[in-house]
C-alpha cells in the first residue's frame, strides 16, 4: 500500500513546522555516541564516515562530535527548516530522503549510520532500512534509537486503560495519553519487535541497551534510569547492528 499524495503533503508540512520538536534528550545521544565511538575506534586508525540520518537540528550529532573526533560526521534530513538549524552545529548537513530516490550517497559510502528517533516517524520503515543498508559498507554499523512501546510506565498505563506515552492518534492534538507535544510517531517497537525487524532487514543485531527519556517527570527520573538496566523495560531502545 502506498501513501497518498495528500497524506505525504500533510506529513511534510508537519515536519517543516518550526514548532515541531526535532531534538531528543542529551543522555540518549551520549549513550549512543559512546557505543559508536567504541566500535569505530580512534580516528588515528583511519577516519570513518558517519551519516546522521534524520539529524534534525543537529543536536545529537553535535553531542556525539567530541567522542568521534577526527571522523567525518555528515547530517542528513529532509526538512529544510531542520537543516537550516543543523548548519549552525555541523560542518556538513545535506538534504536527503530515505525513499523517493534515496539518499545522495553511493553504495557502501558510509562506515556507520546514526538513526536516532527517526524510525518511529516513518510510513515505510522497511524501505528506509533497505536504503540504509545500501549506503553502509559490508560490516558497517547501524546505531538506531527509538522509544520503547513496552517502557515500564507504558505497561502501567495500558493496565489503567490509558494510551501509552510515545503513541499518537493525531498529528493535530494529544488524545488519551500524558504529554503536551505532538511529535508525529507512526510506528512503535518493543525490544523484541525491533530486534526481529532489524535482523529481517539484512543486519546482525550486536547489542541492545536502554536509555532514559528526558520527558519523564522529575520525581520519576531515578526510576527511569534504573530501568535502563533492563532494556526491554527502558524508555528508549538503543540498538547496535552490523550490515551483513
Amino acid at each position: 500500500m502506498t501513501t497518498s499524495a495528500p497524506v505525504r503533503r500533510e506529513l511534510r508540512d508537519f515536519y517543516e513546522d518550526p514548532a515541531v520538536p526535532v531534538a531528543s534528550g542529551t543522555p540518549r545521544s551520549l549513550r549512543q555516541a559512546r557505543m559508536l565511538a567504541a566500535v569505530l575506534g580512534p580516528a588515528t586508525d583511519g577516519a570513518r564516515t558517519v551519516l546522521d540520518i534524520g539529524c534534525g537540528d543537529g543536536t545529537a550529532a553535535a553531542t556525539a562530535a567530541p567522542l568521534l573526533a577526527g571522523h567525518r560526521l555528515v547530517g542528513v534530513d529532509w526538512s529544510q527548516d531542520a537543516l537550516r538549524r543543523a548548519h549552525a552545529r555541523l560542518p556538513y548537513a545535506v538534504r536527503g530522503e530515505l525513499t523517493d530516490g534515496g539518499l545522495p550517497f553511493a553504495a557502501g559510502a558510509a562506515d556507520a549510520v546514526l538513526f536516532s528517533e527517526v524510525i518511529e516517524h516513518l510510513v515505510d520503515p522497511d524501505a528506509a532500512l533497505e536504503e540504509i543498508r545500501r549506503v553502509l559498507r559490508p560490516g558497517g554499523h547501524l546505531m538506531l534509537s527509538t522509544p520503547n512501546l513496552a517502557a515500564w510506565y507504558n505497561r502501567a498505563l495500558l493496565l489503567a486503560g490509558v494510551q501509552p506515552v510515545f503513541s499518537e492518534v493525531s498529528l493535530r492534538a494529544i488524545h488519551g495519553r500524558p504529554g503536551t507535544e505532538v511529535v508525529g510517531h507512526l510506528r512503535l517497537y518493543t525490544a523484541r519487535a525491533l530486534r526481529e525487524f532489524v535482523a529481517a532487514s539484512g543486519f546482525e543485531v550486536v547489542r541492545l541497551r536502554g536509555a532514559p527519556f528526558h520527558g519523564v517527570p522529575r520525581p520519576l527520573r531515578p526510576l527511569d534510569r534504573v530501568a535502563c538496566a533492563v532494556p526491554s523495560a527502558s524508555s528508549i531502545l538503543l540498538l547496535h547492528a552490523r550490515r551483513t
Side-chain angles (χ1 to χ4, degrees):
M1 180 177 178
T2 58
T3 307
S4 67
V7 171
R8 288 189 61 81
R9 283 196 299 272
E10 186 174 1
L11 286 171
R12 187 177 297 277
D13 291 345
F14 177 81
Y15 289 113
E16 291 291 359
D17 182 354
V20 173
V22 291
S24 299
T26 299
R28 186 270 302 154
S29 298
L30 279 173
R31 289 184 185 221
Q32 191 174 44
R34 289 183 184 121
M35 290 170 68
L36 180 56
V39 299
L40 288 184
T44 53
D45 296 334
R48 304 285 189 257
T49 298
V50 180
L51 306 181
D52 183 5
I53 298 176
C55 67
D57 65 3
T59 299
T63 300
L67 299 175
L68 302 173
H71 295 298
R72 293 180 290 269
L73 189 56
V74 181
V76 186
D77 209 289
W78 78 335
S79 167
Q80 296 286 13
D81 177 75
L83 285 173
R84 279 192 291 271
R85 287 181 271 173
H87 276 296
R89 295 184 171 95
L90 302 174
Y92 306 105
V94 301
R95 192 175 188 280
E97 298 191 29
L98 287 162
T99 56
D100 294 339
L103 297 167
F105 304 101
D111 297 285
V113 164
L114 284 170
F115 201 44
S116 305
E117 321 296 302
V118 177
I119 198 168
E120 64 271 15
H121 298 270
L122 301 180
V123 173
D124 191 350
D126 301 271
L129 285 197
E130 286 177 3
E131 181 62 3
I132 288 173
R133 190 174 186 276
R134 182 189 71 81
V135 300
L136 274 174
R137 64 167 173 79
H141 303 280
L142 169 63
M143 296 291 176
L144 184 157
S145 68
T146 191
N148 183 10
L149 175 60
W152 59 275
Y153 40 80
N154 279 345
R155 301 181 189 210
L157 290 173
L158 277 170
L159 284 174
V162 178
Q163 186 84 9
V165 175
F166 308 126
S167 67
E168 295 185 326
V169 299
S170 171
L171 289 177
R172 300 176 183 176
I174 296 297
H175 300 290
R177 72 159 173 84
T180 58
E181 291 182 330
V182 178
V183 292
H185 291 175
L186 305 178
R187 310 274 180 180
L188 287 176
Y189 299 80
T190 63
R192 178 177 177 177
L194 186 64
R195 282 179 176 273
E196 291 183 5
F197 173 62
V198 171
S201 300
F203 293 85
E204 175 193 359
V205 175
V206 178
R207 188 178 186 186
L208 184 70
R209 294 185 61 192
F213 174 46
H214 63 280
V216 168
R218 188 174 299 276
L220 297 177
R221 289 179 187 176
L223 182 56
D224 194 43
R225 289 192 292 270
V226 169
C228 293
V230 184
S232 62
S234 65
S235 285
I236 305 294
L237 301 171
L238 303 179
L239 181 138
H240 171 208
R242 188 178 291 117
R243 182 201 186 281
T244 57

